[in-house]
Amino acid sequence: MAKKDNADFVYQGTFEFDPEASPFDKVEYETNKYKRGILPRINELKKELSKNKKETKKEKEENFKLLLNKKSNHRNWTFEYENGEVYPKEVSFPDIRFIQYPEPHVLITGLYDSEEEWYRLRGIIEDFSEEAYLSYEMGFWFASISSVINCCEYILKYELFRYLNKNDKTILQKASKDYNLTLGRIKNNAYACLDLLKIKSIFYDKLDYLNLVRNSIYHFNPKKAKKVSQKGILEVEKSADITDDMVIPIITYRVYSIMIELINHFYNKQKALEYVNECVADWMKKRGLNKKDLEKMKINKNQPCPCGSGKKYKKCCMEKSDLGYQLHLKGKNAENFVNELAKKSFLEDWCYMNPKLPKGKEICDLLIVYDNIAIIWQIKDLKLDKNRKYKESEVQKNLNQISTAKNRLFGFNLDIELENPRRGKEIFNPKSIKKIYAISALLGEDEDYFSFIENIKDQTIHVFTREFTEIILNELDTIQDFIQYLEEKERLIELDNRITLIGGEKELLAYYIMNERSFNNLKEANMLMFDEGSWDELQKRPEYLAKKEEDKISYGWDSIINRAHTCGGDYEQVARELARPNRFHRRLLAKSFYDAHVLAHNEKVRDTFRRLMKSEDTTYCFIFLKETIPSEKRKAYLSTACFVARGKFKENKKVIGISTEMKIRPTCSYDFCLLYLPEWTDEEEKKMKEIQEHTGIFANPDLKKFHEDEYPNVK
């Protein structure tokens, strides 16, 4: 991949420090928003505002801080409402699995014809529905209500746009660019939304209720409060002889129930099956196929079901035959299976599915390009013969395709354009690649005996079965862990030992894990046999199970990596450095970050919380600031802190900075900074001292050392 020249601040720009622009300056109070912190004390605040219409700015700040400090946690208490119902009620997780694509054929092809901005609503709906549930379960009522309202608004907009995309693209162009198309306008049938979607009689009253709650949250200031009260107070407040703290969980439950109804209406199983028919028809139209062509692609009832269950087709998905076609067509199920696992392990930024030559010919099924590493994947869904072996010619064809793919990528001077859903299009730079790995994934039913590594034209090719592909991409699910195993395996093969695997390559992987991720103690052997059962034994070991439990927090770091793209710009270099650590190192980083975030959340005096973490060659700088600090000031502060961090640990040339809000919320915003300074001069040391004198950044840090084992001791 083409690289840009190194700069002091690769991501945030040139270093500048302006003490006058410090985030410690008092930020003007925004009376028209109140940051979602209104609804639990709505009546109390109405009275306060009516009494103090001309209250000072200082009084407003104090009133608002008082409201924010009054929090409820529904896990600590319950209460009985006047009709005998107990609140807070339990809610179900939103089943969003059947949400449909803007272009139906994408379900089969995996690729969009175009990149419209409104396509992103599909992913946003999934995010908000999950946030609504998690916030409800944690007792963050305002966050749950806000996520519910956003989710419902985006569902209605998305379904309207999908309808217009099929029936009236002229109006679609206008509606999809209408940034004032809010829940209130949708409720009032803007663009005939409710009529077109045929939901007016079912959902109008419920949308009206949602909009009333929305107005109460987002527009609460003296003028807007009058408008809300003129419409009538919420129904629950009319009859509730309870405190406001008890009102808010009821409102949250009611709006959450409306979201679930809306999801179940649009994304139920019946509509999903109808949608599969639409997807197949759309795909056939694109490929110029007819029903006779489709009939040829039917699956024999005694074949293994393409859904991967291991059952025969007739005992699994045969009754849902349209869905079966979709999974089987052109072997896309095999490629999508690997692609989804790869995106989970290597993250979406570095996965390129079906890269093509300039004239459109496919090079390979999947290409991973991370830093100076390339991994070529060729994927086949093969059948076993009566001797439970793959057809040799098909296996060899897959191996030869990998060799050809390597030549096309690195042997010719071609402008190969890679495309990624997140990063868009870019020209592949073969000169930046220092190490190439090749994998042939055979995803049919596993052979009884097989060759797990081959060498074609001086290229080592790792041969994975379906079972082992799933195991290794779940077990070694960072780029560093995965590559380390491939390197160790190749070094083992170079010893020219005779290796026999009984039970599959998972037994070799189990030995590798149980022996400190190395095959070094096998160097003297001239024959190796790995018997069946090692992998199953590893899965039961207490220290292995304890490691898996401890690793759970590390996926929070993966989530932070996946948020880097939201900052725009040339974010990939920052994301790449965030993704460099292995799973154990990510666990340490995540623990340090979230521990600091909890301390920042509970901070009562200061406007900021800072933490440094030193690793072998990189310093990590975590900054937590008040929500009221503007974005540009937060970025400037982060850049300043990273500069100081570079001087605190002079042996580390690289600093990675992350900043976010002090308060823990279901969705936090992040800023990132990557600082690379090969040398630390006397002039920079002087500048750092000046900054510390002005701001106190890392002037007198509390130094703490800690130790953690990858495999915890289990008594």
Side-chain angles (χ1 to χ4, degrees), residues 4 42 81 161 172 201 269 342 358 399 581 606 647 670 693 703:
K4 293 190 175 182
I42 189 168
Y81 191 39
F161 297 161
L172 172 65
S201 60
K269 289 185 180 180
L399 297 172
R606 294 176 293 178
Y670 292 90
E693 186 178 343
L703 297 178

Side-chain angles (χ1 to χ4, degrees), residues 289-308:
L289 300 173
N290 55 39
K291 289 185 178 180
K292 290 183 179 179
D293 297 317
L294 196 62
E295 286 294 319
K296 296 176 184 177
M297 298 179 184
K298 278 190 175 179
I299 307 164
N300 186 289
K301 64 182 180 179
N302 290 314
Q303 287 179 329
C305 186
C307 74

Side-chain angles (χ1 to χ4, degrees), residues 380-384 390-391 394-395 398 442-445:
K380 282 287 184 188
D381 193 353
L382 301 180
K383 300 177 185 176
L384 297 177
Y390 294 137
K391 192 175 181 180
E394 289 296 320
V395 174
N398 208 44
L442 306 178
L443 300 189
E445 189 180 353

Side-chain angles (χ1 to χ4, degrees), residues 160-173:
L160 172 65
F161 297 161
R162 282 202 331 109
Y163 178 90
L164 294 174
N165 192 41
K166 290 186 289 185
N167 298 286
D168 196 332
K169 291 188 182 293
T170 304
I171 297 180
L172 172 65
Q173 290 296 319

